[in-house]
Amino acid sequence: MTKLLETQRLEEALLHFARERDWEQYHAPRNLLLALVGEVGELAEIFQWLTEAQAVEVMRHPDTARHVREEMADVMMYLVRLASVLGVDLDAAVRDKLVQNARKYPPPEQHTPPDNGTV
């Protein structure tokens, strides 16, 4: 099956980063989860008081766009690190969840008029 996510190189880079700083001791699942939640909060803070129109335009402003990218990167890195520590294959988890969501939320049926021989 084709991979949707390839995180191995990022996992390795994050592990190397943590090992160089002797941070593995702090990378217990609970700590990583709390850090992840904090980073999601920092991302949410950017959008907190924006109108819908302003939120749609946020990436057009260089400073705000940079901030959004940085916070999204932090979220991604903590999520990948957490998955790595827990032994979760994010690609498999995402593929499984997409299948579950497709079953739970099927597309609306296309209503075609009955073919009764009339035009």
Side-chain angles (χ1 to χ4, degrees), residues 19-84:
R19 282 188 175 158
E20 280 188 326
R21 289 153 182 81
D22 196 27
W23 286 358
E24 282 184 283
Q25 61 186 318
Y26 306 113
H27 286 191
R30 178 184 172 277
N31 294 346
L32 292 168
L33 177 61
L34 291 174
L36 173 60
V37 168
E39 295 300 338
V40 170
E42 290 180 19
L43 179 60
E45 185 179 29
I46 298 167
F47 292 87
Q48 184 173 5
W49 302 113
L50 301 180
T51 65
E52 289 299 318
Q54 291 169 327
V56 169
E57 299 292 320
V58 76
M59 295 307 287
R60 293 183 189 259
H61 306 283
D63 288 342
T64 308
R66 178 190 49 75
H67 193 189
V68 167
R69 285 191 305 271
E70 288 173 356
E71 297 307 335
M72 290 181 83
D74 286 339
V75 167
M76 180 69 157
M77 289 187 293
Y78 275 116
L79 179 63
V80 168
R81 184 72 179 122
L82 177 61
S84 180

